[in-house]
Amino acid sequence: MLTTDAIIDFIHDEAWMLDQGQYQDWLSLWLPEAIYWMPLNWNQQDPVNETSLLYEDNFMLRLRVERLHGARTFSQKPKSRCHHVLNRPRIETLTADTAQTATQMHYVETRLDDQMLLALTVRHQLRLVDGAIRIAGKRVDILNCDAAFGNIQLLP
């Protein structure tokens, strides 16, 4: 059974994995059918018929992680690093085996002399599967999504 404390711990643990570059462990949190979505527009409702910054299934997430570790990924020499600062996740819906959350956070990504700060609202769709919490979907809304900014190399 899902609990508020377990959900909050899970979201913080996910951010920690990303900050530490533990991408294989992070990938294990995802259900095979899950989608990672980063809308391009404020309050965007349609990820399929409107352009998004990111709309990736499990295959594409795994490909992205492989690219981060690739020998020919020159944009990652030296590697980018990130840091998540999370507010307390808000539980929007909760059943015995599903939850939807919204977490406001600041995301910092840095490489060499460049540093980018993004204000985000991250929505998780979580599901309890065989006693473990898994990500069924993740939506990352950038507060200033309509502004020009550089490439996001990692995963907010």
Side-chain angles (χ1 to χ4, degrees):
M1 180 171 174
L2 284 173
T3 66
T4 299
D5 287 341
I7 292 166
I8 291 170
D9 287 347
F10 178 87
I11 292 170
H12 280 273
D13 288 347
E14 182 208 9
W16 179 261
M17 287 177 191
L18 291 170
D19 289 348
Q20 299 304 310
Q22 298 170 349
Y23 299 114
Q24 293 303 324
D25 293 336
W26 178 75
L27 285 171
S28 73
L29 302 176
W30 289 77
L31 290 172
E33 68 277 8
I35 296 291
Y36 187 110
W37 180 29
M38 188 180 300
L40 176 62
N41 298 308
W42 180 252
N43 205 23
Q44 183 175 334
Q45 299 302 310
D46 186 350
V48 177
N49 296 308
E50 294 180 47
T51 303
S52 297
L53 292 170
L54 241 143
Y55 186 74
E56 296 188 352
D57 61 10
N58 202 283
F59 173 79
M60 290 304 296
L61 286 176
R62 291 182 185 286
L63 198 61
R64 179 178 290 274
V65 167
E66 284 179 29
R67 184 192 65 81
L68 288 173
H69 296 297
R72 293 178 173 251
T73 309
F74 300 110
S75 68
Q76 287 301 298
K77 295 191 185 335
K79 293 197 176 297
S80 298
R81 295 184 304 273
C82 66
H83 186 80
H84 293 75
V85 180
L86 285 66
N87 280 356
R88 186 178 191 274
R90 178 181 179 87
I91 311 297
E92 295 182 323
T93 63
L94 178 60
T95 68
D97 61 354
T98 65
Q100 291 187 6
T101 68
T103 309
Q104 293 181 323
M105 65 179 71
H106 288 166
Y107 171 79
V108 178
E109 188 172 292
T110 184
R111 183 175 167 274
L112 296 172
D113 293 335
D114 294 327
Q115 181 167 293
M116 173 176 39
L117 170 64
L118 299 173
L120 312 170
T121 299
V122 178
R123 299 184 189 294
H124 283 87
Q125 295 174 326
L126 302 174
R127 192 176 312 147
L128 191 63
V129 177
D130 297 327
I133 300 174
R134 295 289 178 251
I135 300 171
K138 183 175 178 179
R139 174 183 172 143
V140 177
D141 287 288
I142 301 173
L143 181 63
N144 65 333
C145 60
D146 42 6
F149 52 89
N151 291 337
I152 301 170
Q153 294 291 319
L154 303 178
L155 296 153

